[in-house]
Amino acid sequence: MPPPTPATDPHQRRPDDIADAATYRPSDRVWVWPPHTGQWRPGVVEAGSSVAVLVTYQRPGGGTSVDSLLPHNVMARTEPDADLDGTEPLPIRLRDIRSVVAGATASA
């Protein structure tokens, strides 16, 4: 079963809740909002630059895609997705806490 998706609209995220693209590292678990899907999808970071994050993510209906996304379309994901990264939970980092708190605030 896939993890529950965030309730946060990427276009309404506060700037201080958005991690810089360069802070993401390969294999980081993330949520991504590819503009053509209109929904959060589980993903894994391939690389980060000063401008964008390269991610592999699950497409709606199955399969994966690789895309470069701006930081407001990416947020940390702590829940495992069996299709992308197995079932082991990752330790929570400071950046993850900001994303989790922002998601809880948006859904409250």
Side-chain angles (χ1 to χ4, degrees):
M1 172 177 264
T5 58
T8 305
D9 182 327
H11 307 294
Q12 296 178 351
R13 293 175 66 196
R14 294 188 341 232
D16 59 337
D17 290 333
I18 300 171
D20 293 331
T23 64
Y24 290 101
R25 300 287 178 250
S27 300
D28 280 356
R29 295 175 181 171
V30 291
W31 287 107
V32 300
W33 183 283
H36 57 278
T37 66
Q39 59 184 305
W40 289 107
R41 307 299 305 162
V44 176
V45 172
E46 301 295 334
S49 73
S50 60
V51 177
V53 184
L54 181 66
V55 295
T56 297
Y57 62 92
Q58 285 188 337
R59 294 186 320 203
T64 59
S65 289
V66 178
D67 208 346
S68 293
L69 299 170
L70 295 174
H72 73 275
N73 289 342
V74 180
M75 70 170 42
R77 172 175 60 90
T78 56
E79 306 85 2
D81 182 275
D83 293 332
L84 289 174
D85 43 37
T87 58
E88 291 297 315
L90 290 178
I92 295 177
R93 295 170 291 191
L94 179 59
R95 166 180 90 218
D96 301 333
I97 294 169
R98 286 196 317 215
S99 295
V100 170
V101 169
T105 303
S107 63

